[in-house]
Every structure is written in C-alpha cells, then in structure tokens.
Amino acid sequence: MMNNDIVFSYFVTSDKFYRLEKSISEQIKIGLGISQNSYLITDGVPNEFPDVLRDFFGDRIFSIESYVLDRENNKAFSFSKLRNGAIQAARNSTKSWMFFCDADTVITKISLPNSGTKYALPYVYWQKEADESVWESVRAIEKGGESAFSEGNSWFVIHRDVFGQLDFNEQIIGYGWEDLEFSVRVQASGFAVGRCDTHVVHLFHTQEERQVHWQQFQRNQKIFEAVQLGTQNKYLPDWRNSELLEARHHEWVANLYLDYTAEMVVNLLSKTANPFSVIDENIVIRWNDWPAELFRRDGACLQYVGPH
C-alpha cells in the first residue's frame, strides 16, 4: 500500500507531452494509486494536455513560465525552473516527502527512506529496447535483483527538511547538470545521500531524444564544478547572486565563478576558492597562492589590469 505522506511531482515541457502520456498510461496499468498525490508542472497550456493527463492529474496541473534571463538579458529555457515549480507545489502541500518524476518515469514499487534519511535515491531500471514493455522490465528486475538497476541522477526522494530550504540553480539553463549540482548542495547542507527501495522504470530513449545543446551543457558543467569546488572549500555558493565569467590574464585564460554574497571566487583552472572585493567597479582578487590582482569587467569577461 502506498504511503500517503508523499507527493509525486512530474515536470515536462509541452513538446514532451507524448512521452509523459505514454508513461502515465503505463503507470495506470501498474497501479499503485498515486494519481491523487501527483502534480504536473509544465510550460504548456491546458488546451494542449492529452486526455489521459487531464484525467490523471485533475486540478493538480500547474502551468508556469520556464524561462529565465541569461547574461545578455535574453530569455533562456531552464529545466531548473520547472523543477523549482515542482518543489513549490510540494511546499504548498501537507506532505512530508516529495519524489521528482520526469516525463519517462514509471514507478513500480514505493518505499520511503529509513528513519533519519532525508535525501535518498531510488533504484532505476533503464529500458533497453523501444518495444520493451513495463511488465518485461518488472520481470527483468525480479530476475536480476540489484544488478538490473543503473545509476540515475534525475530522481530524488527528499524530505520537507530538504525541499523546504533548497531549490534548483536557475543559472543552469537548458538541460543537464542541474540535478548533480542540486545534489552537491543538498549534501553540503548536511543531508547525507541514502537509498530507498522505490523502483523506477525509465522508458526507452532514442539517441535523438538524448541530444543536448552542447554549448549550454558545457557551461552548466562549469557551474557544477565551481559549486562543487566551493563546497570542498567549506562554503556553499549562493547561485542567486553568482555568475560565471571568462577571465583573460596576460599569462592565462580561465573560467571564474564569482559569488557576490560570500565574496568568493572559484578559479576552475587552479581549482581554488579565493576572496575578492569590488572596488570602484573593478574586481580585486586576493589569490591564495600569489599576490592580489585587479580585473576590469568587460561584458561577460574579466580583463586583467595589473597587480593590486
């Protein structure tokens, strides 16, 4: 029997409705009775929703803006924005737990984490073939046990203590790395990663459906690495008041992640976190391992001025 103290938050863009329609149809066949505890967060509008989604989610469908402003003040799609819509829906509920579900999620077994665990990963089975049915996937799990599962980054079971204080980094635009970056900050906030015996079948993806915007993907990876380096240097970057800039020194070029709240800059080239300050619109970086230097902002770049 399902524990009713959990909300299942689905998030999907309007161009992926066909994938969510398939997974919800499969979920209905599996059962588990999660419909009344499920929410849909989307950038689509109601008249676009397939009937199976209207029936499954009822009045628990929330249409939100899925764009953020990039460094040039242009609109940029952010999957993190949809994820944060899912978090807000969970915050507005009375439930103690939430589970993130992407467009291709079918839940075949539900089990909450053990007492004391606030952040847990479910077991995820990735379908191998396009014509593989969910029942075939379930039989593969029963036959293979834990060896049937693969690691998956997109699914979390988290307690209100987690989703009540943390959200996704909306500096990360498009798709990719937002889940890993969130995980780093959750663990840096004192929530150790655990496991729960919830089983997820991830419906088959074609190679075309796996494509990402590589320029955005690589930029997101740099933000992830900077946040990870920040936490390794004993501070938690504030993504709402940070930015990634390219610094051009006469001896090197590097990506710098400036956190204006903590006044710390992570240098991705040297793998260090260093204090900085803004003086007369210039940036003085007080390097840990060489003398302080002055940089001047030039659009999305920092130009080296000289020693400070």
Side-chain angles (χ1 to χ4, degrees), residues 52-82:
V52 67
L53 300 187
R54 297 176 201 259
D55 294 340
F56 188 83
F57 293 103
D59 61 356
R60 298 172 304 282
I61 299 176
F62 301 96
S63 295
I64 68 170
E65 176 62 73
S66 61
Y67 289 87
V68 296
L69 296 179
D70 64 16
R71 291 180 302 187
E72 287 73 40
N73 218 33
N74 297 316
K75 282 186 174 182
F77 169 74
S78 174
F79 201 45
S80 290
K81 194 75 177 289
L82 288 182

Side-chain angles (χ1 to χ4, degrees), residues 16-304:
K16 301 296 188 298
F17 275 157
Y18 71 97
R19 284 161 56 178
L20 181 62
E21 183 177 10
K22 180 178 179 181
S23 63
I24 292 300
S25 298
E26 296 293 343
Q27 186 67 64
I28 292 170
K29 295 175 187 176
I30 290 292
L32 300 185
I34 70 172
S35 173
Q36 292 301 312
N37 283 10
S38 297
Y39 294 78
L40 172 58
I41 315 300
T42 179
D43 59 0
V45 294
N47 62 8
E48 298 174 338
F49 302 147
D51 289 341
V52 67
L53 300 187
R54 297 176 201 259
D55 294 340
F56 188 83
F57 293 103
D59 61 356
R60 298 172 304 282
I61 299 176
F62 301 96
S63 295
I64 68 170
E65 176 62 73
S66 61
Y67 289 87
V68 296
L69 296 179
D70 64 16
R71 291 180 302 187
E72 287 73 40
N73 218 33
N74 297 316
K75 282 186 174 182
F77 169 74
S78 174
F79 201 45
S80 290
K81 194 75 177 289
L82 288 182
R83 285 186 177 269
N84 283 339
I87 285 179
Q88 191 58 53
R91 287 173 179 168
N92 292 340
S93 76
T94 61
K95 309 301 183 183
S96 299
W97 296 90
M98 77 167 294
F99 182 38
F100 287 103
C101 306
D102 73 4
D104 301 289
T105 297
V106 179
I107 303 166
T108 61
K109 180 181 178 181
I110 299 171
S111 178
L112 291 182
N114 295 328
S115 176
T117 299
K118 302 294 181 70
Y119 163 60
L121 305 181
Y123 290 93
V124 181
Y125 173 89
W126 291 72
Q127 287 189 334
K128 311 302 187 295
E129 304 290 342
D131 60 353
E132 180 179 343
S133 73
V134 173
W135 292 115
E136 288 173 325
S137 303
V138 171
R139 287 193 289 273
I141 293 170
E142 292 171 346
K143 181 179 179 181
E146 289 196 12
S147 66
F149 298 109
S150 302
E151 290 301 317
N153 302 319
S154 292
W155 300 271
F156 311 108
V157 181
I158 56 178
H159 190 268
R160 182 171 289 273
D161 289 351
V162 178
F163 67 74
Q165 65 173 289
L166 293 167
D167 48 17
F168 280 80
N169 186 339
E170 293 177 11
Q171 285 185 320
I172 294 179
I173 58 177
Y175 297 88
W177 296 98
E178 81 288 340
D179 42 13
L180 292 172
E181 193 270 354
F182 177 76
S183 180
V184 165
R185 287 186 291 111
V186 169
Q187 293 178 70
S189 299
F191 301 102
V193 61
R195 278 286 191 187
C196 67
D197 198 27
T198 292
H199 293 181
V200 171
V201 171
H202 189 271
L203 299 185
F204 180 78
H205 267 187
T206 65
Q207 193 60 38
E208 182 180 359
E209 289 170 331
R210 295 175 186 271
Q211 295 302 312
V212 296
H213 186 299
W214 281 108
Q215 185 176 9
Q216 291 179 349
F217 190 81
Q218 291 168 350
R219 174 185 175 275
N220 294 345
Q221 181 178 0
K222 292 170 186 175
I223 293 175
F224 160 76
E225 291 172 349
V227 171
Q228 186 177 51
L229 282 167
T231 62
Q232 290 170 355
N233 282 271
K234 310 304 181 186
Y235 90 98
L236 188 62
D238 175 12
W239 68 262
R240 297 179 186 276
N241 196 26
S242 302
E243 63 177 337
L244 182 73
L245 299 175
E246 182 181 82
R248 297 171 181 169
H249 193 278
H250 69 283
E251 294 182 349
W252 48 262
V253 176
N255 287 285
L256 303 184
Y257 188 71
L258 289 86
D259 176 3
Y260 294 97
T261 300
E263 293 191 325
M264 294 290 290
V265 55
V266 172
N267 184 333
L268 290 175
L269 182 63
S270 63
K271 311 296 185 186
T272 59
N274 313 265
F276 77 92
S277 57
V278 179
I279 300 176
D280 297 329
E281 299 185 356
N282 292 321
I283 292 176
V284 177
I285 302 179
R286 295 173 175 83
W287 302 110
N288 297 330
D289 46 6
W290 66 83
E293 294 178 315
L294 184 68
F295 292 81
R296 179 177 296 114
R297 181 70 178 264
D298 181 14
C301 298
L302 287 179
Q303 297 288 354
Y304 174 70

